[in-house]
Amino acid sequence: MPAARTIKTNTTSKAGRNASKDASAKEPKEKRAPSAYNIFVKEQMPLWKAAHPTAPHSEAMKGIGEIWAKHADNPNKGQPRKERKPKATKAMKSNKTSSPAAGSSSTALSSDL
């Protein structure tokens, strides 16, 4: 005879679950002050777009970034760029996801002995 199944039910009312969300929603978060770069981009974007009306937004950001690298307000002016980690390739991602499954199958085989 199969074991009896128990069905779990949620006894908390919907209003009770949302009470904590409502309380946090009422308290506005303090906005961060814009960085020097944010202010610079906000000032430069209309000027750059006026000079290059057909250019895409990504090109505008690249152009403004190049101007920012040489600008006096840039706190990192004259310093070398920080090196970034290389992006993970599809092969690297698939190796990460397949390794736990391989480990679990070997333990299942040993437990059958």
Side-chain angles (χ1 to χ4, degrees):
M1 184 156 136
R5 291 186 182 183
T6 58
I7 299 173
K8 292 184 179 181
T9 58
N10 191 356
T11 57
T12 308
S13 69
K14 200 171 193 179
R17 284 191 306 249
N18 292 334
S20 62
K21 291 180 185 177
D22 292 339
S24 63
K26 291 179 184 177
E27 299 171 15
K29 290 186 177 182
E30 245 182 81
K31 286 192 172 183
R32 241 192 257 189
S35 66
Y37 176 74
N38 294 129
I39 295 167
F40 179 78
V41 170
K42 193 171 186 175
E43 292 171 353
Q44 292 296 314
M45 185 62 77
L47 302 173
W48 203 94
K49 286 282 192 177
H52 308 88
T54 59
H57 184 75
S58 60
E59 195 173 312
M61 290 303 290
K62 286 178 188 177
I64 293 171
E66 290 172 2
I67 297 168
W68 172 251
K70 301 169 190 166
H71 198 268
D73 290 344
N74 184 354
N76 298 322
K77 180 182 174 184
Q79 296 178 3
R81 293 182 72 183
K82 292 181 182 178
E83 296 209 14
R84 294 182 177 181
K85 294 180 184 177
K87 290 185 177 180
T89 62
K90 289 182 181 179
M92 292 172 75
K93 289 179 182 177
S94 66
N95 287 343
K96 287 182 181 179
T97 58
S98 65
S99 61
S104 63
S105 64
S106 64
T107 56
L109 293 174
S110 63
S111 64
D112 292 337
L113 297 173

PDB file of all heavy atoms in Angstrom, residues 24-34:
ATOM      1  N   SER A  24       7.043  48.599   3.657  1.00  0.00           N
ATOM      2  CA  SER A  24       8.285  49.059   3.059  1.00  0.00           C
ATOM      3  C   SER A  24       8.028  49.948   1.842  1.00  0.00           C
ATOM      4  O   SER A  24       8.839  50.784   1.494  1.00  0.00           O
ATOM      5  CB  SER A  24       9.168  47.876   2.664  1.00  0.00           C
ATOM      6  OG  SER A  24       8.516  47.108   1.670  1.00  0.00           O
ATOM      7  N   ALA A  25       6.891  49.756   1.191  1.00  0.00           N
ATOM      8  CA  ALA A  25       6.573  50.563   0.020  1.00  0.00           C
ATOM      9  C   ALA A  25       6.252  52.007   0.408  1.00  0.00           C
ATOM     10  O   ALA A  25       6.437  52.915  -0.387  1.00  0.00           O
ATOM     11  CB  ALA A  25       5.404  49.956  -0.741  1.00  0.00           C
ATOM     12  N   LYS A  26       5.784  52.217   1.613  1.00  0.00           N
ATOM     13  CA  LYS A  26       5.421  53.560   2.059  1.00  0.00           C
ATOM     14  C   LYS A  26       6.639  54.413   2.372  1.00  0.00           C
ATOM     15  O   LYS A  26       6.585  55.623   2.289  1.00  0.00           O
ATOM     16  CB  LYS A  26       4.523  53.474   3.290  1.00  0.00           C
ATOM     17  CG  LYS A  26       3.155  52.908   2.976  1.00  0.00           C
ATOM     18  CD  LYS A  26       2.309  52.812   4.216  1.00  0.00           C
ATOM     19  CE  LYS A  26       0.976  52.164   3.899  1.00  0.00           C
ATOM     20  NZ  LYS A  26       0.157  51.993   5.089  1.00  0.00           N
ATOM     21  N   GLU A  27       7.749  53.773   2.745  1.00  0.00           N
ATOM     22  CA  GLU A  27       8.948  54.522   3.111  1.00  0.00           C
ATOM     23  C   GLU A  27       9.790  54.756   1.859  1.00  0.00           C
ATOM     24  O   GLU A  27      10.353  53.822   1.310  1.00  0.00           O
ATOM     25  CB  GLU A  27       9.764  53.732   4.133  1.00  0.00           C
ATOM     26  CG  GLU A  27       9.022  53.460   5.414  1.00  0.00           C
ATOM     27  CD  GLU A  27       9.783  52.498   6.316  1.00  0.00           C
ATOM     28  OE1 GLU A  27      10.980  52.274   6.086  1.00  0.00           O
ATOM     29  OE2 GLU A  27       9.161  51.979   7.238  1.00  0.00           O
ATOM     30  N   PRO A  28       9.872  56.000   1.405  1.00  0.00           N
ATOM     31  CA  PRO A  28      10.658  56.258   0.189  1.00  0.00           C
ATOM     32  C   PRO A  28      12.153  56.115   0.468  1.00  0.00           C
ATOM     33  O   PRO A  28      12.638  56.493   1.535  1.00  0.00           O
ATOM     34  CB  PRO A  28      10.302  57.688  -0.174  1.00  0.00           C
ATOM     35  CG  PRO A  28       9.859  58.305   1.105  1.00  0.00           C
ATOM     36  CD  PRO A  28       9.247  57.189   1.922  1.00  0.00           C
ATOM     37  N   LYS A  29      12.854  55.543  -0.500  1.00  0.00           N
ATOM     38  CA  LYS A  29      14.296  55.390  -0.353  1.00  0.00           C
ATOM     39  C   LYS A  29      14.979  56.696  -0.722  1.00  0.00           C
ATOM     40  O   LYS A  29      14.497  57.443  -1.562  1.00  0.00           O
ATOM     41  CB  LYS A  29      14.801  54.286  -1.271  1.00  0.00           C
ATOM     42  CG  LYS A  29      14.376  52.909  -0.842  1.00  0.00           C
ATOM     43  CD  LYS A  29      15.039  51.886  -1.728  1.00  0.00           C
ATOM     44  CE  LYS A  29      14.683  50.497  -1.277  1.00  0.00           C
ATOM     45  NZ  LYS A  29      15.348  49.482  -2.104  1.00  0.00           N
ATOM     46  N   GLU A  30      16.104  56.932  -0.088  1.00  0.00           N
ATOM     47  CA  GLU A  30      16.878  58.120  -0.397  1.00  0.00           C
ATOM     48  C   GLU A  30      17.627  57.897  -1.692  1.00  0.00           C
ATOM     49  O   GLU A  30      18.269  56.860  -1.874  1.00  0.00           O
ATOM     50  CB  GLU A  30      17.898  58.371   0.721  1.00  0.00           C
ATOM     51  CG  GLU A  30      17.650  59.648   1.467  1.00  0.00           C
ATOM     52  CD  GLU A  30      18.707  59.875   2.521  1.00  0.00           C
ATOM     53  OE1 GLU A  30      19.806  60.352   2.170  1.00  0.00           O
ATOM     54  OE2 GLU A  30      18.417  59.579   3.678  1.00  0.00           O
ATOM     55  N   LYS A  31      17.524  58.844  -2.608  1.00  0.00           N
ATOM     56  CA  LYS A  31      18.229  58.713  -3.869  1.00  0.00           C
ATOM     57  C   LYS A  31      19.691  59.074  -3.674  1.00  0.00           C
ATOM     58  O   LYS A  31      20.027  59.984  -2.919  1.00  0.00           O
ATOM     59  CB  LYS A  31      17.621  59.627  -4.935  1.00  0.00           C
ATOM     60  CG  LYS A  31      16.311  59.127  -5.459  1.00  0.00           C
ATOM     61  CD  LYS A  31      15.931  59.906  -6.690  1.00  0.00           C
ATOM     62  CE  LYS A  31      14.711  59.285  -7.325  1.00  0.00           C
ATOM     63  NZ  LYS A  31      14.352  59.964  -8.576  1.00  0.00           N
ATOM     64  N   ARG A  32      20.527  58.334  -4.391  1.00  0.00           N
ATOM     65  CA  ARG A  32      21.951  58.620  -4.377  1.00  0.00           C
ATOM     66  C   ARG A  32      22.236  59.897  -5.144  1.00  0.00           C
ATOM     67  O   ARG A  32      21.557  60.192  -6.125  1.00  0.00           O
ATOM     68  CB  ARG A  32      22.678  57.504  -5.117  1.00  0.00           C
ATOM     69  CG  ARG A  32      23.663  56.758  -4.282  1.00  0.00           C
ATOM     70  CD  ARG A  32      24.501  55.919  -5.180  1.00  0.00           C
ATOM     71  NE  ARG A  32      24.076  54.536  -5.110  1.00  0.00           N
ATOM     72  CZ  ARG A  32      24.725  53.540  -5.644  1.00  0.00           C
ATOM     73  NH1 ARG A  32      25.807  53.745  -6.345  1.00  0.00           N
ATOM     74  NH2 ARG A  32      24.300  52.318  -5.516  1.00  0.00           N
ATOM     75  N   ALA A  33      23.232  60.622  -4.714  1.00  0.00           N
ATOM     76  CA  ALA A  33      23.636  61.822  -5.451  1.00  0.00           C
ATOM     77  C   ALA A  33      24.304  61.377  -6.749  1.00  0.00           C
ATOM     78  O   ALA A  33      25.044  60.392  -6.764  1.00  0.00           O
ATOM     79  CB  ALA A  33      24.619  62.632  -4.614  1.00  0.00           C
ATOM     80  N   PRO A  34      24.050  62.068  -7.860  1.00  0.00           N
ATOM     81  CA  PRO A  34      24.668  61.664  -9.120  1.00  0.00           C
ATOM     82  C   PRO A  34      26.188  61.871  -9.076  1.00  0.00           C
ATOM     83  O   PRO A  34      26.680  62.828  -8.480  1.00  0.00           O
ATOM     84  CB  PRO A  34      24.024  62.571 -10.160  1.00  0.00           C
ATOM     85  CG  PRO A  34      23.435  63.692  -9.406  1.00  0.00           C
ATOM     86  CD  PRO A  34      23.162  63.203  -8.020  1.00  0.00           C
TER      87      PRO A  34
END
